[in-house]
Amino acid sequence: MPNYRGELWQYGYSDDGGKSLLVLFESGKENNLNNNNYSPTFRIDPLEKYIVLEKGYLGKDDYSLVIKDIKTLKDVLALSLADIAKKNPDFAGSFGMRQWTKDSRYFWGDIFDGADVLAVFRIDSTTWKWEVFEVPPYTMGGTALNAEYGYITYDDGPPWTGDVEFDKINKAKRREET
């Protein structure tokens, strides 16, 4: 809708009301979005020091995952998909946000292409270094991640696709491989 905006607000435990922290996105009179648009999906670490946002969208030059300091709203890390693709060209897709560890040290996310999760990544909030890990083949989007230990589930059977014909093809292919 024209003149529409989404904001992130912070509320305390008192009746003082809240305050707007950040405009996530807004449209103008022509229904065009501005250049600093974030997805309405975000993650805040358990210690409430950082917020993770997805900036832009797949195909846009500045598509990235941004981590901001909540108090200053300054970027502490901007991880672009282009940066990941330089080291891992097979992991082209969209960012998915998983979760922070309980101690707020690591943030976990994934890179997916449709329903298929290609990789998971981990960002260390003490150094702001990141690592990307390929997920096992055929896991698709059904992988569960244990953020505390970095374990991911893996089922070595054929993937379920939701389509009877594709399921038959995948079963036959897996039988040939084993």
Side-chain angles (χ1 to χ4, degrees):
M1 295 181 67
N3 299 315
Y4 180 80
R5 65 192 284 150
E7 297 181 23
L8 178 67
W9 279 62
Q10 180 182 34
Y11 291 90
Y13 293 101
S14 65
D15 289 334
D16 295 338
K19 66 177 181 173
S20 176
L21 291 180
L22 181 68
V23 175
L24 297 172
F25 53 87
E26 63 184 326
S27 64
K29 292 178 184 174
E30 303 297 318
N31 207 18
N32 295 325
L33 294 173
N34 68 16
N35 292 330
N36 294 321
N37 287 298
Y38 296 103
S39 164
T41 304
F42 60 90
R43 299 289 183 273
I44 296 176
D45 73 296
L47 298 177
E48 297 183 6
K49 291 171 61 175
Y50 304 108
I51 182 169
V52 184
L53 301 159
E54 181 182 14
K55 183 176 183 177
Y57 50 86
L58 185 61
K60 197 170 178 189
D61 290 340
D62 65 345
Y63 179 56
S64 56
L65 199 75
V66 176
I67 300 179
K68 292 181 174 288
D69 180 291
I70 287 182
K71 288 184 181 170
T72 65
L73 293 179
K74 297 211 184 292
D75 295 357
V76 292
L77 176 74
L79 176 60
S80 71
L81 189 60
D83 291 338
I84 291 175
K86 286 177 192 171
K87 291 183 178 180
N88 308 283
D90 294 335
F91 302 148
S94 299
F95 287 114
M97 294 188 203
R98 295 278 180 127
Q99 67 190 80
W100 285 92
T101 54
K102 292 176 187 172
D103 63 0
S104 296
R105 177 163 183 192
Y106 295 107
F107 175 75
W108 287 88
D110 60 50
I111 300 167
F112 65 93
D113 182 19
D116 200 9
V117 174
L118 307 172
V120 293
F121 60 87
R122 180 179 74 176
I123 299 169
D124 186 338
S125 69
T126 62
T127 62
W128 299 114
K129 292 186 180 181
W130 51 273
E131 297 176 272
V132 177
F133 308 96
E134 184 175 8
V135 297
Y138 304 114
T139 55
M140 296 194 71
T143 56
L145 172 71
N146 180 319
E148 298 303 315
Y149 298 102
Y151 295 141
I152 193 163
T153 58
Y154 176 62
D155 179 1
D156 61 355
W160 178 80
T161 64
D163 182 281
V164 173
E165 295 303 315
F166 283 133
D167 285 345
K168 286 179 185 177
I169 292 167
N170 285 334
K171 283 181 184 177
K173 185 177 176 183
R174 294 288 289 167
R175 281 192 194 115
E176 290 175 14
E177 291 175 358
T178 55

mmCIF file with all atom_site columns, all heavy atoms in Angstrom, residues 8 24 39-44 51-53 97:
data_model
loop_
_atom_site.group_PDB
_atom_site.id
_atom_site.type_symbol
_atom_site.label_atom_id
_atom_site.label_alt_id
_atom_site.label_comp_id
_atom_site.label_asym_id
_atom_site.label_entity_id
_atom_site.label_seq_id
_atom_site.pdbx_PDB_ins_code
_atom_site.Cartn_x
_atom_site.Cartn_y
_atom_site.Cartn_z
_atom_site.occupancy
_atom_site.B_iso_or_equiv
_atom_site.pdbx_formal_charge
_atom_site.auth_seq_id
_atom_site.auth_comp_id
_atom_site.auth_asym_id
_atom_site.auth_atom_id
_atom_site.pdbx_PDB_model_num
ATOM 1  N N   . LEU A 1 8  ? 10.367 -1.409  13.861 1.00 0.00 ? 8  LEU A N   1
ATOM 2  C CA  . LEU A 1 8  ? 10.711 -2.234  15.013 1.00 0.00 ? 8  LEU A CA  1
ATOM 3  C C   . LEU A 1 8  ? 10.620 -1.331  16.238 1.00 0.00 ? 8  LEU A C   1
ATOM 4  O O   . LEU A 1 8  ? 11.269 -0.285  16.295 1.00 0.00 ? 8  LEU A O   1
ATOM 5  C CB  . LEU A 1 8  ? 12.129 -2.796  14.879 1.00 0.00 ? 8  LEU A CB  1
ATOM 6  C CG  . LEU A 1 8  ? 12.613 -3.624  16.047 1.00 0.00 ? 8  LEU A CG  1
ATOM 7  C CD1 . LEU A 1 8  ? 11.804 -4.915  16.155 1.00 0.00 ? 8  LEU A CD1 1
ATOM 8  C CD2 . LEU A 1 8  ? 14.084 -3.949  15.878 1.00 0.00 ? 8  LEU A CD2 1
ATOM 9  N N   . LEU A 1 24 ? 11.952 -0.575  9.310  1.00 0.00 ? 24 LEU A N   1
ATOM 10 C CA  . LEU A 1 24 ? 12.362 -1.746  8.548  1.00 0.00 ? 24 LEU A CA  1
ATOM 11 C C   . LEU A 1 24 ? 12.127 -1.548  7.054  1.00 0.00 ? 24 LEU A C   1
ATOM 12 O O   . LEU A 1 24 ? 12.963 -1.885  6.232  1.00 0.00 ? 24 LEU A O   1
ATOM 13 C CB  . LEU A 1 24 ? 11.616 -2.992  9.032  1.00 0.00 ? 24 LEU A CB  1
ATOM 14 C CG  . LEU A 1 24 ? 11.869 -3.405  10.473 1.00 0.00 ? 24 LEU A CG  1
ATOM 15 C CD1 . LEU A 1 24 ? 10.932 -4.528  10.882 1.00 0.00 ? 24 LEU A CD1 1
ATOM 16 C CD2 . LEU A 1 24 ? 13.321 -3.820  10.657 1.00 0.00 ? 24 LEU A CD2 1
ATOM 17 N N   . SER A 1 39 ? 13.818 -7.028  5.739  1.00 0.00 ? 39 SER A N   1
ATOM 18 C CA  . SER A 1 39 ? 12.712 -7.958  5.872  1.00 0.00 ? 39 SER A CA  1
ATOM 19 C C   . SER A 1 39 ? 12.077 -7.773  7.249  1.00 0.00 ? 39 SER A C   1
ATOM 20 O O   . SER A 1 39 ? 12.759 -7.390  8.200  1.00 0.00 ? 39 SER A O   1
ATOM 21 C CB  . SER A 1 39 ? 13.260 -9.385  5.732  1.00 0.00 ? 39 SER A CB  1
ATOM 22 O OG  . SER A 1 39 ? 12.332 -10.326 6.214  1.00 0.00 ? 39 SER A OG  1
ATOM 23 N N   . PRO A 1 40 ? 10.791 -8.054  7.389  1.00 0.00 ? 40 PRO A N   1
ATOM 24 C CA  . PRO A 1 40 ? 10.181 -7.949  8.721  1.00 0.00 ? 40 PRO A CA  1
ATOM 25 C C   . PRO A 1 40 ? 10.616 -9.073  9.666  1.00 0.00 ? 40 PRO A C   1
ATOM 26 O O   . PRO A 1 40 ? 10.291 -9.048  10.846 1.00 0.00 ? 40 PRO A O   1
ATOM 27 C CB  . PRO A 1 40 ? 8.677  -8.011  8.436  1.00 0.00 ? 40 PRO A CB  1
ATOM 28 C CG  . PRO A 1 40 ? 8.547  -8.643  7.107  1.00 0.00 ? 40 PRO A CG  1
ATOM 29 C CD  . PRO A 1 40 ? 9.802  -8.324  6.351  1.00 0.00 ? 40 PRO A CD  1
ATOM 30 N N   . THR A 1 41 ? 11.374 -10.040 9.168  1.00 0.00 ? 41 THR A N   1
ATOM 31 C CA  . THR A 1 41 ? 11.892 -11.118 10.004 1.00 0.00 ? 41 THR A CA  1
ATOM 32 C C   . THR A 1 41 ? 13.209 -10.682 10.619 1.00 0.00 ? 41 THR A C   1
ATOM 33 O O   . THR A 1 41 ? 14.080 -10.164 9.923  1.00 0.00 ? 41 THR A O   1
ATOM 34 C CB  . THR A 1 41 ? 12.110 -12.388 9.156  1.00 0.00 ? 41 THR A CB  1
ATOM 35 O OG1 . THR A 1 41 ? 10.884 -12.730 8.521  1.00 0.00 ? 41 THR A OG1 1
ATOM 36 C CG2 . THR A 1 41 ? 12.589 -13.544 10.002 1.00 0.00 ? 41 THR A CG2 1
ATOM 37 N N   . PHE A 1 42 ? 13.369 -10.909 11.910 1.00 0.00 ? 42 PHE A N   1
ATOM 38 C CA  . PHE A 1 42 ? 14.610 -10.534 12.583 1.00 0.00 ? 42 PHE A CA  1
ATOM 39 C C   . PHE A 1 42 ? 14.847 -11.470 13.758 1.00 0.00 ? 42 PHE A C   1
ATOM 40 O O   . PHE A 1 42 ? 13.953 -12.203 14.170 1.00 0.00 ? 42 PHE A O   1
ATOM 41 C CB  . PHE A 1 42 ? 14.561 -9.075  13.062 1.00 0.00 ? 42 PHE A CB  1
ATOM 42 C CG  . PHE A 1 42 ? 13.451 -8.794  14.030 1.00 0.00 ? 42 PHE A CG  1
ATOM 43 C CD1 . PHE A 1 42 ? 13.635 -8.941  15.396 1.00 0.00 ? 42 PHE A CD1 1
ATOM 44 C CD2 . PHE A 1 42 ? 12.209 -8.386  13.573 1.00 0.00 ? 42 PHE A CD2 1
ATOM 45 C CE1 . PHE A 1 42 ? 12.603 -8.691  16.291 1.00 0.00 ? 42 PHE A CE1 1
ATOM 46 C CE2 . PHE A 1 42 ? 11.174 -8.132  14.451 1.00 0.00 ? 42 PHE A CE2 1
ATOM 47 C CZ  . PHE A 1 42 ? 11.371 -8.286  15.820 1.00 0.00 ? 42 PHE A CZ  1
ATOM 48 N N   . ARG A 1 43 ? 16.050 -11.450 14.294 1.00 0.00 ? 43 ARG A N   1
ATOM 49 C CA  . ARG A 1 43 ? 16.401 -12.224 15.486 1.00 0.00 ? 43 ARG A CA  1
ATOM 50 C C   . ARG A 1 43 ? 17.189 -11.324 16.427 1.00 0.00 ? 43 ARG A C   1
ATOM 51 O O   . ARG A 1 43 ? 18.089 -10.604 15.997 1.00 0.00 ? 43 ARG A O   1
ATOM 52 C CB  . ARG A 1 43 ? 17.262 -13.442 15.142 1.00 0.00 ? 43 ARG A CB  1
ATOM 53 C CG  . ARG A 1 43 ? 16.618 -14.457 14.227 1.00 0.00 ? 43 ARG A CG  1
ATOM 54 C CD  . ARG A 1 43 ? 15.495 -15.227 14.929 1.00 0.00 ? 43 ARG A CD  1
ATOM 55 N NE  . ARG A 1 43 ? 14.942 -16.242 14.080 1.00 0.00 ? 43 ARG A NE  1
ATOM 56 C CZ  . ARG A 1 43 ? 13.960 -16.064 13.201 1.00 0.00 ? 43 ARG A CZ  1
ATOM 57 N NH1 . ARG A 1 43 ? 13.425 -14.876 13.043 1.00 0.00 ? 43 ARG A NH1 1
ATOM 58 N NH2 . ARG A 1 43 ? 13.508 -17.049 12.472 1.00 0.00 ? 43 ARG A NH2 1
ATOM 59 N N   . ILE A 1 44 ? 16.850 -11.399 17.708 1.00 0.00 ? 44 ILE A N   1
ATOM 60 C CA  . ILE A 1 44 ? 17.576 -10.675 18.745 1.00 0.00 ? 44 ILE A CA  1
ATOM 61 C C   . ILE A 1 44 ? 18.250 -11.701 19.639 1.00 0.00 ? 44 ILE A C   1
ATOM 62 O O   . ILE A 1 44 ? 17.634 -12.713 20.005 1.00 0.00 ? 44 ILE A O   1
ATOM 63 C CB  . ILE A 1 44 ? 16.627 -9.769  19.553 1.00 0.00 ? 44 ILE A CB  1
ATOM 64 C CG1 . ILE A 1 44 ? 16.056 -8.692  18.630 1.00 0.00 ? 44 ILE A CG1 1
ATOM 65 C CG2 . ILE A 1 44 ? 17.342 -9.152  20.748 1.00 0.00 ? 44 ILE A CG2 1
ATOM 66 C CD1 . ILE A 1 44 ? 15.044 -7.777  19.257 1.00 0.00 ? 44 ILE A CD1 1
ATOM 67 N N   . ILE A 1 51 ? 20.821 -7.296  17.003 1.00 0.00 ? 51 ILE A N   1
ATOM 68 C CA  . ILE A 1 51 ? 19.671 -7.679  16.190 1.00 0.00 ? 51 ILE A CA  1
ATOM 69 C C   . ILE A 1 51 ? 20.180 -8.071  14.807 1.00 0.00 ? 51 ILE A C   1
ATOM 70 O O   . ILE A 1 51 ? 21.068 -7.416  14.255 1.00 0.00 ? 51 ILE A O   1
ATOM 71 C CB  . ILE A 1 51 ? 18.631 -6.541  16.094 1.00 0.00 ? 51 ILE A CB  1
ATOM 72 C CG1 . ILE A 1 51 ? 17.424 -7.003  15.275 1.00 0.00 ? 51 ILE A CG1 1
ATOM 73 C CG2 . ILE A 1 51 ? 19.228 -5.266  15.528 1.00 0.00 ? 51 ILE A CG2 1
ATOM 74 C CD1 . ILE A 1 51 ? 16.240 -6.072  15.329 1.00 0.00 ? 51 ILE A CD1 1
ATOM 75 N N   . VAL A 1 52 ? 19.634 -9.153  14.268 1.00 0.00 ? 52 VAL A N   1
ATOM 76 C CA  . VAL A 1 52 ? 20.001 -9.640  12.940 1.00 0.00 ? 52 VAL A CA  1
ATOM 77 C C   . VAL A 1 52 ? 18.859 -9.321  11.990 1.00 0.00 ? 52 VAL A C   1
ATOM 78 O O   . VAL A 1 52 ? 17.695 -9.618  12.280 1.00 0.00 ? 52 VAL A O   1
ATOM 79 C CB  . VAL A 1 52 ? 20.256 -11.163 12.947 1.00 0.00 ? 52 VAL A CB  1
ATOM 80 C CG1 . VAL A 1 52 ? 20.736 -11.626 11.578 1.00 0.00 ? 52 VAL A CG1 1
ATOM 81 C CG2 . VAL A 1 52 ? 21.243 -11.553 14.020 1.00 0.00 ? 52 VAL A CG2 1
ATOM 82 N N   . LEU A 1 53 ? 19.195 -8.707  10.863 1.00 0.00 ? 53 LEU A N   1
ATOM 83 C CA  . LEU A 1 53 ? 18.212 -8.299  9.861  1.00 0.00 ? 53 LEU A CA  1
ATOM 84 C C   . LEU A 1 53 ? 18.647 -8.778  8.483  1.00 0.00 ? 53 LEU A C   1
ATOM 85 O O   . LEU A 1 53 ? 19.846 -8.902  8.206  1.00 0.00 ? 53 LEU A O   1
ATOM 86 C CB  . LEU A 1 53 ? 18.093 -6.777  9.830  1.00 0.00 ? 53 LEU A CB  1
ATOM 87 C CG  . LEU A 1 53 ? 17.680 -6.100  11.129 1.00 0.00 ? 53 LEU A CG  1
ATOM 88 C CD1 . LEU A 1 53 ? 18.099 -4.642  11.120 1.00 0.00 ? 53 LEU A CD1 1
ATOM 89 C CD2 . LEU A 1 53 ? 16.188 -6.222  11.313 1.00 0.00 ? 53 LEU A CD2 1
ATOM 90 N N   . MET A 1 97 ? 17.154 -17.287 8.674  1.00 0.00 ? 97 MET A N   1
ATOM 91 C CA  . MET A 1 97 ? 17.634 -17.033 10.032 1.00 0.00 ? 97 MET A CA  1
ATOM 92 C C   . MET A 1 97 ? 17.259 -18.205 10.916 1.00 0.00 ? 97 MET A C   1
ATOM 93 O O   . MET A 1 97 ? 16.095 -18.588 10.981 1.00 0.00 ? 97 MET A O   1
ATOM 94 C CB  . MET A 1 97 ? 17.027 -15.757 10.582 1.00 0.00 ? 97 MET A CB  1
ATOM 95 C CG  . MET A 1 97 ? 17.478 -14.537 9.849  1.00 0.00 ? 97 MET A CG  1
ATOM 96 S SD  . MET A 1 97 ? 16.901 -13.091 10.726 1.00 0.00 ? 97 MET A SD  1
ATOM 97 C CE  . MET A 1 97 ? 16.905 -11.916 9.410  1.00 0.00 ? 97 MET A CE  1
#
